[in-house]
Amino acid sequence: MLRVSDTISIEDWELTEHFVRASGPGGQNVNKVSTAVELRFEAQRSPNLPDFVKTRLHKIAGQKWTNDGAVVIFVQDTRSQARNRELARERLAELILKATHRPKRRIKTKPTLGSVRRRLDAKKKRGEVKALRGKVGE
């Protein structure tokens, strides 16, 4: 079981791990051992996630979200299969935890009267300077 927060935990049956060969450093073992991990979490069908978390997760996950509603995390950072597996689970937990926080609504503010006046005065002065540039009449 993957514990994300006090209220959210993901069961093992919701996670699918697939091990593949990693690119990059690995010495003689690089072509023999499958150390990279592809962790798949069926987020859309998960009974442990509230609906608002699913929608936020869909926005946050980006390309990691598949068409069938799963989150796929691919990790090949280390040469150790076990460490890559831990990293993938940590990243999934961080992603879900990030989706639980609702962003603050932005409150629209108006510019102060003084700042509006200063802006218009500056525009007027600049316009006068530009109006003076021109051909001198006879």
Side-chain angles (χ1 to χ4, degrees):
M1 179 169 33
L2 179 65
R3 200 145 181 81
V4 178
S5 68
D6 294 336
T7 55
I8 298 175
S9 59
I10 297 167
E11 301 296 327
D12 288 332
W13 61 268
E14 296 179 84
L15 300 173
T16 309
E17 291 173 340
H18 182 71
F19 297 100
V20 292
R21 289 189 185 144
S23 63
Q28 293 176 338
N29 273 345
V30 74
N31 295 324
K32 294 185 271 182
V33 182
S34 298
T35 55
V37 65
E38 185 181 85
L39 182 69
R40 185 179 179 90
F41 170 57
E42 301 293 335
Q44 195 65 41
R45 292 185 286 199
S46 176
N48 298 325
L49 291 182
D51 288 335
F52 78 92
V53 174
K54 288 178 186 177
T55 54
R56 293 252 322 125
L57 185 62
H58 181 53
K59 288 179 187 174
I60 293 172
Q63 290 182 340
K64 294 178 184 127
W65 187 274
T66 62
N67 289 335
D68 57 335
V71 176
V72 178
I73 295 176
F74 185 76
V75 179
Q76 61 177 4
D77 295 355
T78 66
R79 293 183 188 183
S80 167
Q81 188 183 71
R83 182 67 184 132
N84 282 339
R85 188 175 179 217
E86 288 173 17
L87 287 172
R89 286 173 168 258
E90 287 172 12
R91 288 181 190 172
L92 178 64
E94 287 173 11
L95 199 64
I96 294 170
L97 192 62
K98 192 174 177 185
T100 59
H101 299 300
R102 289 189 176 132
K104 270 189 179 176
R105 277 193 61 224
R106 184 181 174 276
I107 299 169
K108 293 180 183 176
T109 57
K110 288 185 178 178
T112 61
L113 195 62
S115 68
V116 172
R117 283 191 184 140
R118 284 190 297 273
R119 184 179 64 89
L120 293 177
D121 287 342
K123 283 171 68 84
K124 196 176 290 182
K125 285 179 188 172
R126 189 75 183 139
E128 289 170 0
V129 168
K130 287 188 172 190
L132 292 172
R133 294 179 188 159
K135 292 188 178 178
V136 178
E138 290 182 34

